[in-house]
Amino acid sequence: MNTRNTIELPSLKGQYRTIELAAPAALATSSTRPVARIVYAAGHVVADPLLASAGSSAIDWDATLKLRHSLWDLGLGVAESMDTAQRGMGLGPKEALTLARRTLAEARAVGGSVVVGIATDQLGPGPHPLTEIADAYIEQLGEVEEAGGSVVMMASRHLAFSATGPDDYLEVYGKVLDAATKPVILHWLGSMFDPALAGYWGSRSIAEASETVLGLIGSKKDKVAGIKISLLDKDHEVSFRRRLPAGVRLFTGDDFNYADLIAGDEHGHSDALLGAFAAVPRFASAAFVKLDRGDVAGFRQILEPTVPLSRLIFEAPTQYYKVGVVWLSYLTGWQSHFRLLAGFESGRSLVHLADLFEAANGIGLFPDPQAAAARASAYFRAQGL
């Protein structure tokens, strides 16, 4: 155990920086689900540290489910089997369904809130006929609904590859929404998160794509609970949100601007479905305690300092943000190792990990700063530093 109050962190060109360890932030969290907003943290999957590798996506199921209980204990809902869980980046469709079923069962036992991502990832490389893509979605929809879950209809790489224009998206989404027995959350994930999704909704113009998806929601509003937008464009999200039909929620996936978007304005606010909240769960819990009391300033005071850390986690290439989420989970003691499915931890540099430690330490993220420093130092030493 590190008993010092500083840590030496690697910098560029073989240099080091000495960082003073900060005291943990004083946060009044709650296990009660927020009422001012609907809140989901997109949970990651804990890899089996002994078996996970570039050729194996072995999962530590006990640790993975324990992490979800930790989120519920903070009053946060869980967005399951989605991008943060390395869906399509180590987590295959069979494992994603098993994860969904196990999380739903655990949630029922404790009254936890869950939504589950569905996709078309059981299909092989495309292109595919639109009917096959719709059927793939509907197959996963049926599995999740049969298990008692509600779904987030994730953006489909197969549809992005196969569609020739907006009408193809409307055809596929219309069939899936018609098949749903519960209202669905749609998902618009930008190409910064997944380059294969460029031009989603049939256009590379965000304005044109917005018209397509708003038209879909307007025609199927009884089947749409909301839409998660992850475009990292605050102004677009606000404008889009104001055009949604009454009763259809916007779940922000903007990991750069979530504090402002959730706080909202006189015209409305966004709810939350964020990978960032898996990295700063205690701050999220404490912030919503304030918001439930009508204390918007207190909400901002707690949550706004986490935004620079989140922007660092999600910096380009953004698809590797999962590395930062797991790194912080390891440093805060939420899991016992720093390994990801499919060896994905190699997606970020050691300097980036050091930067994350410094930023997280700066806001008092670590409940036990010395334990976090000991883990970080041991990891860097293992890399020869």
Side-chain angles (χ1 to χ4, degrees):
M1 176 67 66
N2 178 18
T3 58
R4 300 169 56 190
N5 290 321
T6 60
I7 182 175
E8 298 286 324
L9 294 175
S11 298
L12 292 174
K13 299 181 180 179
Q15 298 174 343
Y16 290 85
R17 46 191 145 149
T18 301
I19 302 300
E20 184 174 348
L21 300 181
L27 298 169
T29 62
S30 173
S31 60
T32 301
R33 196 181 306 174
V35 296
R37 305 288 187 268
I38 298 175
V39 183
Y40 296 105
H44 69 275
V45 170
V46 181
D48 184 318
L50 298 178
L51 298 178
S53 67
S56 171
S57 293
I59 296 170
D60 183 335
W61 288 106
D62 289 342
T64 295
L65 294 172
K66 181 180 178 182
L67 186 146
R68 278 130 183 83
H69 279 277
S70 296
L71 293 172
W72 291 322
D73 288 344
L74 290 169
L76 306 178
V78 172
E80 190 54 277
S81 301
M82 296 186 64
D83 184 65
T84 308
Q86 293 182 245
R87 185 76 177 259
M89 303 177 190
L91 185 73
K94 291 182 179 179
E95 294 83 2
L97 179 57
T98 299
L99 177 62
R101 286 172 171 160
R102 296 186 70 160
T103 298
L104 287 167
E106 296 285 326
R108 283 192 293 273
V110 299
S113 178
V114 183
V115 288
V116 177
I118 63 169
T120 60
D121 46 350
Q122 71 268 48
L123 297 175
H128 290 273
L130 298 181
T131 54
E132 287 187 7
I133 296 171
D135 287 345
Y137 266 132
I138 291 169
E139 178 185 4
Q140 294 194 16
L141 170 72
E143 296 278 8
V144 173
E145 289 192 335
E146 183 180 353
S150 298
V151 307
V152 179
M153 192 175 169
M154 298 173 66
S156 167
R157 293 174 180 174
H158 296 96
L159 183 53
F161 186 67
S162 303
T164 59
D167 288 345
D168 290 348
Y169 285 86
L170 295 175
E171 177 181 339
V172 169
Y173 275 78
K175 288 181 178 179
V176 179
L177 291 173
D178 286 344
T181 64
K182 302 176 182 179
V184 170
I185 297 175
L186 304 179
H187 189 198
W188 187 355
L189 190 69
S191 59
M192 69 288 293
F193 288 91
D194 186 347
L197 299 177
Y200 210 74
W201 301 112
S203 176
R204 290 181 179 269
S205 164
I206 298 299
E208 292 178 6
S210 296
E211 295 304 318
T212 299
V213 70
L214 283 166
L216 170 68
I217 293 170
S219 68
K220 301 286 185 181
K221 58 185 177 182
D222 292 340
K223 288 295 189 83
V224 179
I227 180 169
K228 167 182 161 67
I229 294 185
S230 300
L231 299 177
L232 306 183
D233 185 334
K234 181 175 69 172
D235 291 340
H236 171 266
E237 180 170 322
V238 171
S239 173
F240 190 99
R241 185 176 72 202
R242 292 175 181 174
R243 297 180 63 191
L244 286 172
V248 178
R249 294 177 176 269
L250 197 149
F251 292 86
T252 188
D254 188 334
D255 301 282
F256 283 13
N257 301 291
Y258 51 82
D260 282 341
L261 290 162
I262 296 168
D265 55 29
E266 65 274 16
H267 300 291
H269 59 262
S270 296
D271 293 287
L273 200 165
L274 287 160
F277 281 180
V280 294
R282 293 191 308 117
F283 285 79
S285 176
F288 286 107
V289 169
K290 295 287 188 181
L291 196 59
D292 277 354
R293 295 171 180 168
D295 183 358
V296 177
F299 168 84
R300 286 184 174 275
Q301 185 177 16
I302 293 172
L303 205 57
E304 284 178 351
T306 70
V307 173
L309 172 61
S310 181
R311 291 186 177 191
L312 181 59
I313 293 170
F314 286 83
E315 72 177 12
T318 304
Q319 62 264 38
Y320 293 108
Y321 77 86
K322 277 77 75 173
V323 178
V325 172
V326 175
W327 175 241
L328 295 178
S329 182
Y330 169 57
L331 295 179
T332 56
W334 276 35
Q335 65 186 74
S336 63
H337 61 85
F338 177 54
R339 298 279 285 172
L340 278 77
L341 301 183
F344 209 72
E345 65 272 12
S346 64
R348 293 296 199 191
S349 71
L350 296 180
V351 170
H352 179 82
L353 299 182
D355 290 344
L356 287 175
F357 185 101
E358 183 173 4
N361 176 71
I363 63 171
L365 182 76
F366 304 128
D368 186 336
Q370 292 184 334
R375 285 190 165 191
S377 296
Y379 184 78
F380 291 135
R381 285 197 303 271
Q383 312 310 310
L385 299 179

